Amino acid sequence: MTRTPLVAANWKMHKTAGEAEAFVAALLPRLSSAGADVALCPPFTALAAVVDSARGSALQVLAQNVHEAEQGAYTGEVSIPMLADLGVQGAIVGHSERRQYFCESDRALQLKVPALLAAGLLPLLCVGETEEEREAHDTERKLRHQVQEALAGVNDDRLADVAIAYEPIWAIGTGKVATPDQAQEAIAFIRALVGGRDAGAGERVRILYGGSVSPDNAAELLALPDVDGALVGGASLDAASFAAIVASLPG
Ligand code: PEP
């Protein structure tokens, strides 16, 4: 089974629209990613600028969050139709920072993931355990819970249209990257969970690794059999560094 790898840049709360345009101008000539999907996830305020700068290229643009309702009295939120109208192709959902600081719940994810799919957008669902959970040998229980809950509203025939990022929370922004064995084991476990719902979907669903990916460690992680790309935070803020990570994908 050949899965198209995806390398996505999660800029978090970094870059103005002007800085984002400059990044795209610096990135595009550095990309030679035939056979892979490359996505930028800028803050809402830079989405339009990145969509415009990326026009005519294969670069994809995803938001970092989205609200599940089509419209309504949700001050400060952004809807899926608003993203689609801009030309945005998907959204990260369930990032640990959103779960931790903004109370993103499994219940909201149960609505967000199918709503994105119904609109033809890519949900990039993040899951992962804390350091305490790993030390307590609770990683699989946590992953099972998060994956089952977030995908509960997705029909089996759409499961493979979701992309999942395994992001151990202790590895995010810490420089403490998961070992290849830890990444492979957790991602194979997530694949088996999806496969438990639908065997074909388990084979086809793309599962990325995220957590302190850098140009120095990317090749080893991206070569793992179940790892279909990377969600990159800090190392994606510099175009040369992000391009080097994309270039680390196995030929
Ligand atoms: C992330 O925020 O999704 C992430 C993986 O961050 P970092 O690469 O900085 O650990």
Side-chain angles (χ1 to χ4, degrees):
M1 165 61 55
T2 323
R3 297 179 293 265
T4 304
L6 168 63
V7 181
N10 176 17
W11 288 350
K12 314 194 185 196
M13 199 172 69
H14 293 283
K15 296 194 191 294
T16 62
E19 290 165 347
E21 279 170 8
F23 180 100
V24 176
L27 178 69
L28 286 177
R30 292 180 149 92
L31 281 184
S32 54
S33 58
D37 289 342
V38 180
L40 300 181
C41 313
F44 286 127
T45 47
L47 282 171
V50 175
V51 169
D52 277 348
S53 314
R55 210 178 298 283
S57 78
L59 203 54
Q60 299 182 8
V61 186
L62 313 180
Q64 296 174 18
N65 180 36
V66 72
H67 195 275
E68 59 273 22
E70 278 203 14
Q71 57 183 354
Y74 301 105
T75 301
E77 291 294 313
V78 169
S79 73
I80 293 168
M82 290 170 186
L83 294 182
D85 179 58
L86 279 185
V88 170
Q89 288 132 303
I92 297 173
V93 290
H95 190 280
S96 62
E97 288 153 15
R98 294 222 54 90
R99 294 182 193 253
Q100 182 179 352
Y101 304 133
F102 304 101
C103 304
E104 168 122 76
S105 65
D106 288 319
R107 175 75 197 129
L109 293 171
Q110 270 177 23
L111 301 173
K112 289 183 186 197
V113 175
L116 282 161
L117 290 172
L121 271 64
L122 172 74
L124 176 48
L125 168 69
C126 300
V127 296
E129 81 286 358
T130 63
E131 190 152 37
E132 295 69 39
E133 286 163 339
R134 177 160 282 272
E135 280 167 6
H137 305 285
D138 232 2
T139 300
E140 293 193 349
R141 184 205 57 78
K142 175 73 171 290
L143 295 177
R144 183 183 299 108
H145 174 81
Q146 289 186 323
V147 170
Q148 283 178 350
E149 289 289 314
L151 299 182
V154 178
N155 289 335
D156 287 354
D157 64 347
R158 296 303 310 272
L159 282 172
D161 298 328
V162 178
I164 301 174
Y166 166 62
E167 298 208 305
I169 295 168
W170 46 270
I172 296 181
T174 58
K176 221 163 126 181
V177 68
T179 65
D181 281 353
Q182 288 171 328
Q184 168 59 29
E185 189 181 31
I187 289 177
F189 178 74
I190 294 168
R191 190 174 303 292
L193 290 174
V194 177
R197 287 264 316 264
D198 181 275
E203 286 292 311
R204 295 196 311 280
V205 68
R206 294 185 293 178
I207 311 180
L208 322 185
Y209 169 78
S212 296
V213 174
S214 73
D216 293 336
N217 59 34
E220 194 177 23
L221 291 160
L222 293 171
L224 296 167
D226 278 290
V227 175
D228 302 318
L231 180 55
V232 188
S236 75
L237 292 172
D238 174 77
S241 154
F242 184 60
I245 292 170
V246 176
S248 308
L249 283 163

